[in-house]
Amino acid sequence: MSPTTTTAPINIRLANLFRIGLGPSSSHTVGPMRAALFFREAAIAAGHTHGRLSVDLKGSLGATGRGHHSDLAVMAGLFGWQPDDCVPTDVLTLRDRLAADPVVPWPGDGQVSLDPDDVRFLRARDTRDEVLPHPNTMVFTIDGPQGTFADTWCSIGGGFIRRPEEVADGDGPGKPREVPLPFTDAESLLAQAATLGGTLGDVVLANERALADDDGSAAEAHLDRVWDSFRECIRAGLATRGELPGGLGVHRRAPELLARVESGQVGDAYEHIARAQAYAFAVQEENAAGGRIVTAPTNGAAGIVPATLVEAADRRGHTTEEVRGALATAAAIAMLVKTHASISGAEVGCQGEVGTATSMAAAALCQLMGGTPAQVATAAEIAMEHNLGLTCDPIKGLVQAPCIERNAMGVAKAWSAAQLALHSVIAEVVSLDRIILVMKRTGDDMRREYKETSEGGLAVSFPEC
């Protein structure tokens, strides 16, 4: 019997799960930008046309400082920019722009200002007397002749945002809607796949068609855009050399690793994994530089799914339809984790980010290689099981070390998990449902210093090395 307790069908949309946005962090960049945009729209609707803006970034948002670009993200959102279509280089220059001229564009004759120093990073000591609704909490305020208007938002991972009262209920399964193939956990997802006679992704796509009230064209178009974005990000990362910003001295490794693969310096047995790892480096290096990224399921773990699947699809010649199905299956795994655990490093550590991404990639790869739905679920379980306890401890608050290399390792784990699931003749001991709950409990037990605060692990031992 499944150990999960949620009874409402999981209705998380594909477009919300695979979000196209900016690096370096979905919960610290994409989510805050969306929250700032929502605040801007609410303030305008409430009649606040003149005033001075300020933002308090709390919890992990405050602890990681400028390394995660959270200040730039909220500035961009207050400008009215969207994560999926704003110009990355424009975002990176916002602090300097506002320092020179602290004017925020506002409709009509509105006059609203924002000094860049009024986006404040509050450390744990600054909020020690406050119980935060979520580790990524932000408060937006505008003060002016119309009075004070304030709003609080929480960034809960993967670019998803919630108000404090919504966070208290957890991520949840999504807004309650009727779907033809409802599932609440992995056990019921497998049952629906058996009823349909298809894959886990087929179940997700059938429900997506019902939620979109169309023939599936919207979901297919979004998945195609995601796939194109995967490829463009890999291409950009492989075409760029040099040192990443932030002062940590990390150099881009993707072009060099791919060059070694293509020149035959890598052994045949490792070649396909090494190529995929070069792709993972490419994506994460673009992410670290603030480039265009797809959450899969987060920015910090965004290299694993595209690297694994693009390499496999190119080498094995998979069709567009097969790729869409694999992406939908990867999404199914993320939906389960998001509903019953978390994909936020600030909430459960990197097991929620890299662990989930590795699980997604393993499931999708297993399906592309001919695995049954049961084998696909086993691949996802194996991948998650061997990421349990993974900490989130970015050095200097930058999504670089150990984050970039951790994505490359996730590729190798995804491949191993898919192969083990395909070739094991013994029934699994631990179910996918149970491992997801164990991951959540492990995250709950993890000290906050190891959950994207840059206050524990590698983040504090680095200066002593």
Side-chain angles (χ1 to χ4, degrees), residues 174-185:
K175 295 180 180 178
R177 303 183 184 95
E178 290 189 6
V179 290
L181 298 170
F183 65 93
T184 60
D185 51 21

Side-chain angles (χ1 to χ4, degrees), residues 8-198:
I10 295 175
N11 291 328
I12 299 171
R13 304 295 298 276
L14 287 172
N16 292 333
L17 189 61
F18 288 122
R19 295 181 191 271
I20 299 173
L22 298 180
S25 170
S26 51
S27 57
H28 290 64
T29 309
V30 180
M33 189 185 299
R34 296 183 64 234
L37 182 59
F38 275 109
F39 170 77
R40 170 191 169 94
E41 293 171 347
I44 292 170
H48 291 269
T49 58
H50 294 67
R52 179 169 179 166
L53 293 163
S54 62
V55 185
D56 287 336
L57 301 172
K58 303 180 179 183
S60 177
L61 295 173
T64 51
R66 295 184 185 175
H68 276 44
H69 293 190
S70 299
D71 55 340
L72 300 178
V74 297
M75 292 173 192
L78 292 171
F79 268 57
W81 297 352
Q82 297 273 7
D84 63 334
D85 61 6
C86 63
V87 180
T89 51
D90 288 348
V91 175
L92 294 174
T93 61
L94 274 177
R95 171 169 278 275
D96 291 339
R97 173 176 172 175
L98 286 170
D101 182 14
V103 175
V104 176
W106 219 251
D109 62 351
Q111 296 182 4
V112 174
S113 66
L114 174 65
D115 188 294
D117 289 336
D118 284 337
V119 180
R120 298 179 284 261
F121 295 100
L122 302 185
R123 301 284 180 165
R125 63 180 177 270
D126 301 316
T127 59
R128 60 178 176 268
D129 297 327
E130 183 179 355
V131 178
L132 298 179
H134 187 274
N136 291 326
T137 296
M138 63 204 102
V139 180
F140 299 90
T141 305
I142 182 169
D143 288 300
Q146 295 85 18
T148 298
F149 180 77
D151 207 0
T152 300
W153 285 92
C154 302
S155 181
I156 63 173
F160 288 82
I161 57 175
R162 295 284 189 274
R163 294 186 181 278
E165 62 270 19
E166 297 171 327
V167 172
D169 297 327
D171 285 358
K175 295 180 180 178
R177 303 183 184 95
E178 290 189 6
V179 290
L181 298 170
F183 65 93
T184 60
D185 51 21
E187 182 180 350
S188 56
L189 175 60
L190 284 164
Q192 292 289 20
T195 299
L196 185 64

Side-chain angles (χ1 to χ4, degrees), residues 88-432:
T89 51
D90 288 348
V91 175
L92 294 174
T93 61
L94 274 177
R95 171 169 278 275
D96 291 339
R97 173 176 172 175
L98 286 170
D101 182 14
V103 175
V104 176
W106 219 251
D109 62 351
Q111 296 182 4
V112 174
S113 66
L114 174 65
D115 188 294
D117 289 336
D118 284 337
V119 180
R120 298 179 284 261
F121 295 100
L122 302 185
R123 301 284 180 165
R125 63 180 177 270
D126 301 316
T127 59
R128 60 178 176 268
D129 297 327
E130 183 179 355
V131 178
L132 298 179
H134 187 274
N136 291 326
T137 296
M138 63 204 102
V139 180
F140 299 90
T141 305
I142 182 169
D143 288 300
Q146 295 85 18
T148 298
F149 180 77
D151 207 0
T152 300
W153 285 92
C154 302
S155 181
I156 63 173
F160 288 82
I161 57 175
R162 295 284 189 274
R163 294 186 181 278
E165 62 270 19
E166 297 171 327
V167 172
D169 297 327
D171 285 358
K175 295 180 180 178
R177 303 183 184 95
E178 290 189 6
V179 290
L181 298 170
F183 65 93
T184 60
D185 51 21
E187 182 180 350
S188 56
L189 175 60
L190 284 164
Q192 292 289 20
T195 299
L196 185 64
T199 66
L200 305 186
D202 289 337
V203 175
V204 168
L205 289 172
N207 290 342
E208 184 73 24
R209 284 191 288 272
L211 293 170
D213 194 25
D214 66 10
D215 59 358
S217 57
E220 291 174 356
H222 180 70
L223 290 177
D224 290 347
R225 187 183 177 204
V226 165
W227 189 247
D228 289 343
S229 297
F230 281 173
R231 287 189 173 280
E232 174 56 27
C233 189
I234 291 171
R235 185 206 63 76
L238 291 172
T240 311
R241 297 174 182 268
E243 185 176 309
L244 292 170
L248 194 56
V250 174
H251 286 264
R252 290 177 180 257
R253 296 163 61 181
E256 285 75 12
L257 178 54
L258 184 63
R260 292 181 67 85
V261 172
E262 294 187 335
S263 64
Q265 298 181 63
V266 171
D268 292 343
Y270 175 53
E271 180 180 347
H272 66 282
I273 294 179
R275 182 181 296 274
Q277 288 179 319
Y279 293 172
F281 275 119
V283 172
Q284 284 306 109
E285 286 161 2
E286 280 298 289
N287 180 62
R292 182 76 64 205
I293 297 293
V294 181
T295 59
T298 66
N299 282 24
I304 300 170
V305 172
T308 303
L309 299 188
V310 167
E311 189 284 328
D314 286 351
R315 180 169 49 84
R316 295 168 55 86
H318 288 288
T319 66
T320 299
E321 195 65 31
E322 289 170 332
V323 167
R324 289 172 181 163
L327 288 174
T329 290
I333 303 304
M335 291 173 185
L336 295 172
V337 177
K338 181 164 177 56
T339 300
H340 297 291
S342 175
I343 59 172
S344 168
E347 197 168 6
V348 295
C350 204
Q351 58 174 358
E353 297 198 34
V354 163
T356 302
T358 305
S359 192
M360 293 165 66
L365 180 62
C366 185
Q367 180 171 303
L368 287 177
M369 297 174 71
T372 65
Q375 289 173 321
V376 166
T378 297
E381 184 280 323
I382 293 171
M384 178 63 74
E385 181 177 340
H386 296 288
N387 277 287
L388 287 178
L390 193 60
T391 57
C392 185
D393 45 358
I395 297 173
K396 291 186 67 175
L398 299 168
V399 190
Q400 296 181 19
C403 320
I404 296 173
E405 194 169 88
R406 191 167 282 174
N407 275 252
M409 288 301 297
V411 168
K413 286 186 177 183
W415 267 98
S416 295
Q419 292 287 357
L420 286 171
L422 284 169
H423 299 295
S424 177
V425 295
I426 299 174
E428 62 183 12
V429 175
V430 181
S431 70
L432 177 56

